Amino acid sequence: METLLSQLFAGLSLGSVLLLAALGLALTFGQMGVINMAHGEFMMAGAYTAFVIQGLLGDPGASLLVSLPLGFLVGGALGLLLEATLIHRMYRRPLDTLLVTWGVALVLQQVARDVFGAPNVDVAAPGWLSGAVTVGGLALPKTRLFILALAVVCIVALALVLRATPLGRRIRAVVQHRDLAEASGISSRATDRLTFFIGSGLAGVAGVALTLLGSVGPTLGTSYIVDAFLVVVAGGIGQIKGTVIAATALGLLQSFFEFSTTASVAKVLVFVVIVAFLQVRPQGLVSVRTRSLA
Amino acid sequence: MRPRSSTGTTGTTRTATITRPVVASLAVLAVAVLTACGAKVDAAGGGASSSAAAGCVDTSGDAVKVGFLNSLSGTMAISEQTVHDSLQLAADEINADGGVLGKQLEIVSEDGQSEPTVFAEKASKLITSDCVAAVFGGWTSASRKAMLPVFEANDSLLFYPVQYEGLESSENIFYTGATTNQQIVPALDYLAEQGAKSLFLVGSDYVFPRTANKIINAYAAAHDIEIVGEEYAPLGHTDFSTIVNKVKAADADAVFNTLNGDSNVAFFKEYNNAGLSADDMPVVSVSIAEEEVGGIGVDNIEGQLTAWNYYQTVDSPENDAFVKAFKAEYGEDRPTSDPMEAAYTSLYLWRAMVEKAESFDVADVQEAADGVTFDAPEGTVVVDGDNHHVAKTALIGRIGDDGLIHTEWSSQEPIEPDPFLEGYDWAEDLS
């Protein structure tokens, strides 16, 4: 029973990591339709931000709290730069975007390698996040609780921005019908940029959070990018709700499969489940209702 | 791939417009593949006429080329960069000392990119296109296994500096790291001596951990030790909560860790966060040396055990000189580790073999190898001409709060290499 509960927690925790990684993608890929392969590298940039800040400030606690907003800004700034220089030229050419952003991802990895060196670096976790909280004999690692909480905060913040602010209204309007939104006086260029900024910024935040779990290296993003796309696709394009459900479900699936088999086999099983699921429901868990026949 | 579902809504006309670039890039790809195959055919042809490959090494000038092949990028870079640095140090020292047979070493470096296939490709390039006299490098057994046929087909030499799972002995490879009876078996002896009755095995999912664990299982069966769990994580795996949960639930006397690369960081962070420590369940690692301790974070791993044949703290004049030279070259904060030392030693051993043979020719070097010695930082090492391994002393160490590893237990004298464990009754069914 206790193992079952701690497995449940491990699954939720993995789900929250996946969610953080996929949330930004749900905006840029899900809402805007941009296949951004450099999304993982924005996470890497966020992680290195945490590393640099820790080098400057020294104290792990303070630097974590500074790194989170700063990681958002760094990821967002990179996203803005990418959007302004490359992506906005190819909104109508999704396959080219895939290749171009993949190239950008490779460039960013090499930049990180040249600046920070090939060996991975370690970001120390603050003292108040080391160890575990014990609930009825169940040890819940504090870092994982923190990431879980961070994911919830990001989700709530994003939902608020999308639903309750003029910006969110503009984003949703452009997603639903670009031409009509423009005709109503919304600058779709400015909206695109802001959406991309927020989406990439969330990747930066995810990167900062990942430093609590493992080491920071130039290829940090590549291990998450495929999973992040899986979550967004399985969740249904264009729906944040679907992303949340899919991330949680995949996290739980992965950890329970892993518990009853092995890590490698679990990965295979998760892929099989997703492929089978997409056969039945190609539009994902939650889909936007449209009048188009496609 | 996934993107299809996103383009689905944009209509069918799109498909027509994409087709052309896709076809064009496919054509380019096909041409690239064909040229690559062409190159391969040439290389094989050169190898088949035997002397062609050997004759390719140019020893007429006052310099001779040697190849360094390490992963300078990818998940293994954390470890292999250090080996590359110490090889470079050895080459600089040898060049300053007059070179090998009066010839300066000219280094050709290649990046194995943590990919076995790239290792094979680059090895072939070093041998047939750069015409190096010998290649130094490799880390994962997967990379060595991928390179082995390349070195055998081209009849060239590889010096492999890392401890590995044994059960191998190639004419074309010199193994200067430990084989199992010089590292894993002594580590198990130590655990048994400490009274461990149950073990949990955690490893990366590839050839070294799987073979190592097969050996550990055989040892355990013969020594009344229970294996309470055996888990593998894919290379580069970063989420260890499930595996740590299993370890915790199994409650073994010790954990035997054969994880490789940066998975170790995630594993030890998780291990600590789950409330496990070296006191209640010590972890013996065979792939964590001084360099990795820094990457994992001393706090996460302090007090845990390692099994190697060299630590920076080894007390000998040779080691003092090595450590001092390395720090002078690469900075005070850089530690030295077992694979670095084995790599450093491998270049010196090759020099000794070449000078004994008075020839760079592969056959002459193989002939001369038996009994070649070098006063290495770990102590004097002797090459075994039959199995191409070297005799080494086993050291169990404990990671201190200074980030260095301090010897806790020693086999006292060099252990003769026995890659196929022929001298051990319990290992009969393994090879």
Side-chain angles (χ1 to χ4, degrees):
Chain A
M1 186 60 199
E2 190 192 315
T3 337
L4 192 73
L5 283 177
S6 60
Q7 251 343 90
L8 196 68
F9 178 74
L12 286 177
S13 163
L14 182 59
S16 68
V17 174
L18 287 177
L19 181 58
L20 273 177
L23 202 53
L25 213 58
L27 266 187
T28 56
F29 175 53
Q31 306 269 338
M32 295 169 70
V34 174
I35 302 168
N36 179 16
M37 295 301 281
H39 189 80
E41 276 55 46
F42 295 164
M43 292 166 66
M44 180 263 287
Y48 273 112
T49 308
F51 172 70
V52 170
I53 296 297
Q54 185 154 97
L56 291 177
L57 295 184
D59 177 51
S63 51
L64 176 65
L65 296 180
V66 175
S67 301
L68 283 172
L70 218 62
F72 183 84
L73 288 181
V74 169
L78 279 174
L80 213 53
L81 191 70
L82 183 65
E83 206 275 347
T85 51
L86 290 172
I87 291 180
H88 88 96
R89 292 168 206 277
M90 34 190 74
Y91 273 133
R92 314 242 166 222
R93 293 149 61 193
L95 278 191
D96 296 353
T97 325
L98 181 134
L99 283 179
V100 166
T101 53
W102 189 47
V104 170
L106 294 179
V107 170
L108 286 177
Q109 280 175 30
Q110 193 55 43
V111 167
R113 208 167 279 135
D114 290 342
V115 175
F116 299 100
N120 289 10
V121 293
D122 181 50
V123 179
W128 43 270
L129 278 184
S130 74
V133 181
T134 320
V135 184
L138 200 65
L140 309 176
K142 286 183 194 160
T143 46
R144 293 197 170 264
L145 286 173
F146 180 80
I147 290 176
L148 206 64
L150 184 67
V152 172
V153 168
C154 286
I155 275 292
V156 171
L158 186 62
L160 278 178
V161 168
L162 283 182
R163 295 213 176 149
T165 66
L167 168 67
R169 219 161 25 240
R170 285 202 296 275
I171 292 178
R172 283 182 293 140
V174 171
V175 166
Q176 278 171 15
H177 206 302
R178 185 172 290 268
D179 297 336
L180 202 56
E182 277 183 348
S184 322
I186 295 173
S187 160
S188 72
R189 275 298 296 129
T191 312
D192 282 343
R193 263 191 220 137
L194 260 171
T195 316
F196 213 79
F197 175 76
I198 298 175
S200 310
L202 285 170
V205 173
V208 175
L210 285 177
T211 62
L212 295 171
L213 295 181
S215 64
V216 181
T219 53
L220 174 113
T222 47
S223 39
Y224 287 94
I225 186 75
V226 174
D227 287 342
F229 271 107
L230 279 183
V231 166
V232 177
V233 171
I237 311 293
Q239 286 290 313
I240 304 289
K241 190 168 49 174
T243 309
V244 177
I245 300 173
T248 318
L250 287 188
L252 287 171
L253 270 182
Q254 167 79 26
S255 68
F256 275 99
F257 279 148
E258 192 175 328
F259 192 73
S260 41
T261 60
T262 69
S264 309
V265 174
K267 203 101 217 171
V268 176
L269 288 177
V270 166
F271 272 88
V272 169
V273 168
I274 290 177
V275 169
F277 172 73
L278 289 177
Q279 289 301 315
V280 185
R281 246 188 107 78
Q283 70 273 40
L285 271 173
V286 181
S287 59
V288 192
R289 240 175 276 151
T290 68
R291 282 160 193 269
S292 73
L293 294 170
Chain B
M1 270 197 65
R2 303 285 147 222
R4 179 169 296 173
S5 40
S6 79
T7 57
T9 48
T10 50
T12 43
T13 47
R14 181 68 32 82
T15 6
T17 42
I18 338 173
T19 324
R20 207 178 300 153
V22 169
V23 169
S25 46
L26 277 180
V28 172
L29 202 69
V31 171
V33 169
L34 282 178
T35 11
C37 290
K40 207 166 268 172
V41 171
D42 286 348
S49 58
S50 83
S51 62
C56 161
V57 180
D58 179 17
T59 53
S60 59
D62 52 5
V64 64
K65 282 187 187 170
V66 290
F68 291 171
L69 180 45
N70 312 99
S71 297
L72 306 178
S73 57
T75 182
M76 292 310 299
I78 176 178
S79 304
E80 291 191 54
Q81 176 74 49
T82 66
V83 165
H84 185 79
D85 290 346
S86 75
L87 280 170
Q88 194 68 51
L89 175 71
D92 291 345
E93 285 180 7
I94 288 174
N95 279 342
D97 192 38
V100 180
L101 288 182
K103 294 181 200 301
Q104 291 286 300
L105 298 180
E106 192 184 324
I107 309 303
V108 186
S109 270
E110 282 295 344
D111 179 3
Q113 299 171 12
S114 308
E115 278 294 332
T117 49
V118 176
F119 269 97
E121 223 170 80
K122 298 285 170 112
S124 169
K125 182 228 168 213
L126 284 170
I127 300 166
T128 57
S129 152
D130 295 315
C131 298
V132 297
V135 176
F136 299 81
W139 182 294
T140 63
S141 291
S143 70
R144 190 192 64 257
K145 294 267 185 212
M147 289 190 287
L148 187 141
V150 177
F151 282 93
E152 290 190 339
N154 292 294
D155 196 23
S156 187
L157 287 180
L158 169 69
F159 284 74
Y160 174 74
V162 184
Q163 46 71 237
Y164 80 114
E165 71 281 2
L167 309 180
E168 187 181 297
S169 172
S170 164
E171 280 289 303
N172 298 89
I173 301 182
F174 283 97
Y175 309 78
T176 64
T179 178
T180 39
N181 79 312
Q182 299 166 316
Q183 186 195 27
I184 290 176
V185 176
L188 292 169
D189 285 341
Y190 169 79
L191 286 173
E193 204 178 292
Q194 298 291 310
K197 285 280 160 223
S198 59
L199 284 179
F200 197 105
L201 314 181
V202 178
S204 294
D205 202 355
Y206 75 104
V207 54
F208 166 67
R210 287 209 176 252
T211 317
N213 286 346
K214 216 155 71 181
I215 292 168
I216 295 172
N217 271 304
Y219 181 98
H223 291 79
D224 203 20
I225 294 173
E226 193 194 351
I227 303 295
V228 289
E230 190 171 338
E231 286 296 322
Y232 297 96
L235 264 182
H237 192 64
T238 47
D239 199 292
F240 280 90
S241 45
T242 300
I243 288 181
V244 167
N245 270 346
K246 287 189 190 178
V247 171
K248 202 173 175 184
D251 193 29
D253 289 340
V255 178
F256 207 100
N257 166 26
T258 43
L259 288 172
N260 234 312
D262 46 12
S263 287
N264 275 307
V265 184
F267 173 71
F268 278 103
K269 279 193 174 178
E270 198 67 48
Y271 198 77
N272 269 7
N273 285 334
L276 295 167
S277 75
D279 292 333
D280 24 86
M281 213 193 288
V283 182
V284 184
S285 307
V286 291
S287 298
I288 294 176
E290 286 85 344
E291 187 74 27
E292 287 84 9
V293 171
I296 295 169
V298 182
D299 294 348
N300 293 318
I301 198 177
E302 192 192 331
Q304 304 287 13
L305 299 166
T306 60
W308 289 106
N309 307 89
Y310 166 88
Y311 299 115
Q312 185 181 316
T313 54
V314 164
D315 188 19
S316 74
E318 287 83 10
N319 186 37
D320 288 347
F322 170 59
V323 172
K324 204 174 278 174
F326 188 83
K327 286 185 184 289
E329 185 70 31
Y330 296 103
E332 271 306 308
D333 55 332
R334 291 283 304 274
T336 57
S337 68
D338 180 292
M340 291 159 77
E341 189 266 353
Y344 175 86
T345 302
S346 71
L347 202 64
Y348 275 100
L349 283 175
W350 174 71
R351 172 165 90 156
M353 291 173 197
V354 168
E355 295 194 329
K356 183 175 168 196
E358 293 179 350
S359 155
F360 289 99
D361 188 69
V362 170
D364 295 342
V365 170
Q366 285 165 335
E367 183 82 15
D370 190 41
V372 164
T373 68
F374 171 62
D375 292 327
E378 66 179 274
T380 303
V381 294
V382 187
V383 177
D384 184 316
D386 287 331
N387 58 31
H388 280 200
H389 289 62
V390 299
K392 297 166 89 78
T393 308
L395 304 173
I396 306 297
R398 190 179 292 279
I399 297 166
D401 55 5
D402 51 1
L404 295 177
I405 308 176
H406 303 273
T407 306
E408 183 98 354
W409 179 93
S410 156
S411 67
Q412 300 303 332
E413 53 190 34
I415 302 171
E416 288 298 325
D418 184 0
F420 293 94
L421 296 172
E422 283 155 346
Y424 301 84
D425 294 337
W426 51 265
E428 258 176 1
D429 303 333
L430 285 175
S431 44

